[in-house]
Amino acid sequence: MAGRVDLNLLLTLETLLNELNVTKAAVKLNSSQPAVSAQLVRLRRMFDDPLLIPGARGMTPTPRALELAPRLSELLDGFRTLVQPDHFDPRTAQGGILIGTNDATQCRLAKWFGNLANTAPGVQIGFVTANRSTVPDVEQHMASGQVDLVISRRSAFPDRLHVRPLHDETFVCAMRWDHPYRKKQMTLKDFIAMRHVIVLPLGGEFDDVTDEILKEMGLSRQTVVSVPSFLVAERVLRNTDFVSVFPTSLARGMMSTLKSYPLPYTLPKFEFAMAWHVRTHLSPLHRWVRDQIAEELMAGREEDGDPMSQIAW
């Protein structure tokens, strides 16, 4: 690539990489589909690469395009900071943000949605479930605009992403509030004698960290149901005598239907964090949303207090 660089072409490329669709990119750019298609032809000549390949569902970026995406966004964000005002007003902000996380975190943010509608009426928040199909490729998904922010285990994020620690999550054994099990303390023998609901993002599997720990002790449990969502698991627990390992914060939020016991074995805490790409790092809107989410999740931890102080027997 030589000669003068047309910044409008680079802006078109950034939008195409985010939308992966010429028509949608044209709408975003307030342009026409033929004009954007013509710019894509110029971009292909400029970079000597196809950049985006037509597919059954939109367009697929080439390896060269994926390599360019983070550097391109960083460059354009630098130019944007030169012309955008430092002051950010959420009341007039416009835009959408896609957040990848599990349903337990989505539940904890539910109250925040109502506040968001009042403080930032022009902002849209979309959630996608973060699971094993998205987290390993999280950097690529962020670079292409498939997701903007991911909240998951800290260990899942590569060092190249921006990461903000949130909280450590502990776990309890949850069951319906009127479950016939009424001992003051759950023993390991009691735990493995019960029938279990397991929650894994993809569902349909019957082993997790708990099973690995039990196996090391020469023990096993009877898992009878596997679901991809804690909300589904809660509904199963309400209607059965099954039990399930739940995040402590989520179990506390469901105390009207569930009671819980400290686990009779040691399950390591999971360090949760949020991560984002250089593509959105300097965006005032994204920065504001990240601050709001961190404040909401941390406030929830402080209101909950001691994880063991609200265990319902």
Side-chain angles (χ1 to χ4, degrees):
M1 182 175 62
R4 293 189 303 174
V5 176
D6 186 340
L7 288 180
N8 286 326
L9 280 181
L10 297 183
L11 179 61
T12 297
L13 178 57
E14 180 191 45
T15 306
L16 282 168
L17 289 173
N18 289 341
E19 299 297 329
L20 299 178
N21 182 288
V22 173
T23 302
K24 291 180 179 179
V27 172
K28 259 308 188 39
L29 293 165
N30 292 316
S31 184
S32 66
Q33 188 270 338
V36 172
S37 294
Q39 288 178 314
L40 178 57
V41 172
R42 293 176 60 190
L43 284 163
R44 286 168 171 163
R45 288 200 300 264
M46 180 187 298
F47 289 100
D48 193 24
D49 187 88
L51 297 176
L52 292 152
I53 307 298
R57 297 182 178 181
M59 307 184 81
T60 302
T62 65
R64 174 65 168 149
L66 291 175
E67 176 191 348
L68 288 170
R71 291 186 290 166
L72 177 64
S73 293
E74 185 174 15
L75 172 67
L76 292 175
D77 281 340
F79 279 106
R80 291 186 187 105
T81 58
L82 295 177
V83 297
Q84 288 178 342
D86 293 333
H87 175 68
F88 174 75
D89 186 355
R91 294 170 299 179
T92 58
Q94 299 286 328
I97 295 180
L98 290 176
I99 301 173
T101 189
N102 62 21
D103 64 330
T105 301
Q106 293 174 33
C107 287
R108 295 189 60 203
L109 290 172
K111 186 172 65 175
W112 173 64
F113 300 151
N115 297 332
L116 183 70
N118 295 324
T119 58
V123 175
Q124 294 178 309
I125 301 294
F127 279 98
V128 296
T129 300
N131 55 41
R132 287 176 301 171
S133 66
T134 58
V135 171
D137 299 319
V138 63
E139 187 176 8
Q140 178 178 330
H141 285 295
M142 287 182 171
S144 62
Q146 292 173 266
V147 66
D148 299 309
L149 181 69
V150 173
I151 303 171
S152 187
R153 300 180 191 178
R154 172 65 182 87
S155 58
F157 301 130
D159 293 336
R160 292 180 297 275
L161 294 177
H162 294 276
V163 176
R164 181 172 180 173
L166 292 172
H167 62 84
D168 291 338
E169 185 63 87
T170 58
F171 295 83
V172 294
C173 181
M175 63 190 73
R176 62 185 173 92
W177 71 270
D178 58 347
H179 194 284
Y181 186 82
R182 299 185 180 280
K183 291 184 180 180
K184 289 293 184 181
Q185 184 175 353
M186 177 177 288
T187 65
L188 185 57
K189 182 178 180 181
D190 293 335
F191 178 82
I192 62 176
M194 295 176 175
R195 291 182 292 179
H196 292 253
V197 179
I198 192 172
V199 182
L200 288 171
L202 299 184
E205 298 186 2
F206 296 90
D207 293 289
D208 66 0
V209 177
T210 287
D211 296 284
E212 295 175 4
I213 294 171
L214 293 176
K215 186 176 180 180
E216 291 178 357
M217 295 187 287
L219 301 171
S220 63
R221 58 175 173 168
Q222 182 185 7
T223 299
V224 293
V225 178
S226 175
V227 297
S229 163
F230 285 105
L231 296 181
V232 176
E234 187 267 347
R235 182 60 62 92
V236 174
L237 295 183
R238 274 198 283 162
N239 293 280
T240 67
D241 287 340
F242 302 162
V243 301
S244 184
V245 176
F246 263 47
T248 304
S249 57
L250 183 62
R252 285 198 297 267
M254 296 178 171
M255 288 181 64
S256 62
T257 59
L258 301 181
K259 64 180 179 180
S260 53
Y261 287 82
L263 293 174
Y265 59 93
T266 300
L267 182 62
K269 294 180 180 179
F270 291 145
E271 181 186 0
F272 273 76
M274 68 169 70
W276 61 94
H277 195 265
V278 64
R279 177 178 63 85
T280 60
H281 181 60
L282 297 177
S283 164
L285 171 60
H286 286 256
R287 185 165 54 235
W288 181 80
V289 168
R290 291 194 297 264
D291 289 342
Q292 292 288 306
I293 289 176
E295 182 179 341
E296 181 68 20
L297 292 179
M298 296 309 294
R301 300 295 292 187
E302 293 169 3
E303 290 171 5
D304 290 337
D306 182 356
M308 295 297 106
S309 67
Q310 298 187 38
I311 298 297
W313 307 109

